[in-house]
Amino acid sequence: MKSKEENLLNEQGETKVLDSSCWQFMQATIENLSQQQIDQAQLQKLSPAALAYLGDAVYELYVRMYYLLPPQRSESYHRLVVAQVRAETQALHLRSLTPHLRHSELEIVRRGRNATTGRPKRLDPEIYQQATSLETLIGYLYLTDQPRLTELLQRLQLEK
């Protein structure tokens, strides 16, 4: 029997089981990376851009681990991951998560959106702001509430 943490929601809201070994590896990685806790005073000193910087790395690691099984060629991994870490896809993910966010999380999203400076020329500024907001939220939750981060990441509708 699978634990509730090993279940993912698909776009119809149905439960999908994540391979147990992949899930255990992901959990161990998150625990090992987060051994260094940050206190509230240090957290307040971090800019939304710094949280987005961290969130970008955490998000990409999650996506890479999601696609790790079944084994594939490097080119396939790359194609799948790039499709998910694009700003346009991140903006879609933020919009899908917004109804599930708490008030405090919406405030972090707002801070991330307002802190956005510059953007790639190919992107609509709103898309870039939303992508940065998602990364800010992920970085913040990584430092403050990893079970909540896991819950939200599992809601993402990544395509296989």
Side-chain angles (χ1 to χ4, degrees):
M1 185 156 144
K2 301 289 182 184
S3 70
K4 67 180 179 179
E5 290 85 10
E6 294 173 352
N7 293 320
L8 299 174
L9 297 176
N10 66 16
E11 57 250 20
Q12 289 84 25
E14 299 166 337
T15 302
K16 171 175 111 172
V17 178
L18 181 63
D19 179 86
S20 180
S21 58
C22 181
W23 177 254
Q24 289 170 355
F25 180 71
M26 190 172 8
Q27 285 297 100
T29 301
I30 288 173
E31 289 171 13
N32 287 336
L33 289 174
S34 65
Q35 291 301 316
Q36 223 178 30
Q37 292 296 319
I38 187 167
D39 66 32
Q40 195 63 32
Q42 291 172 314
L43 183 63
Q44 294 303 318
K45 292 179 183 177
L46 291 175
S47 68
L51 293 172
Y53 175 76
L54 176 62
D56 176 59
V58 171
Y59 176 74
E60 184 166 345
L61 178 61
Y62 173 78
V63 172
R64 285 178 179 229
M65 291 177 74
Y66 181 85
Y67 289 117
L68 196 58
L69 295 174
Q72 302 178 49
R73 299 178 66 88
S74 294
E75 300 83 30
S76 297
Y77 285 137
H78 180 73
R79 181 181 38 77
L80 290 165
V81 170
V82 166
Q84 295 302 315
V85 299
R86 296 177 49 130
E88 295 87 350
T89 306
Q90 288 181 341
L92 288 172
H93 287 323
L94 177 66
R95 289 193 294 270
S96 74
L97 289 177
T98 298
H100 306 285
L101 297 181
R102 300 170 180 156
H103 177 73
S104 60
E105 295 164 347
L106 290 169
E107 180 61 22
I108 296 299
V109 167
R110 184 195 63 76
R111 285 181 56 209
R113 180 187 65 232
N114 291 343
T116 303
T117 61
R119 65 175 172 82
K121 292 182 181 182
R122 67 172 181 84
L123 279 179
D124 178 316
E126 187 175 337
I127 297 294
Y128 187 70
Q129 288 174 331
Q130 290 171 353
T132 302
S133 295
L134 176 67
E135 292 170 347
T136 303
L137 176 64
I138 290 171
Y140 177 81
L141 290 175
Y142 179 77
L143 294 173
T144 63
D145 190 351
Q146 290 179 8
R148 177 65 174 157
L149 173 61
T150 300
E151 177 187 329
L152 291 175
L153 289 174
Q154 287 178 339
R155 289 187 171 275
L156 298 180
Q157 298 171 6
L158 303 180
E159 296 183 18
K160 276 284 186 186

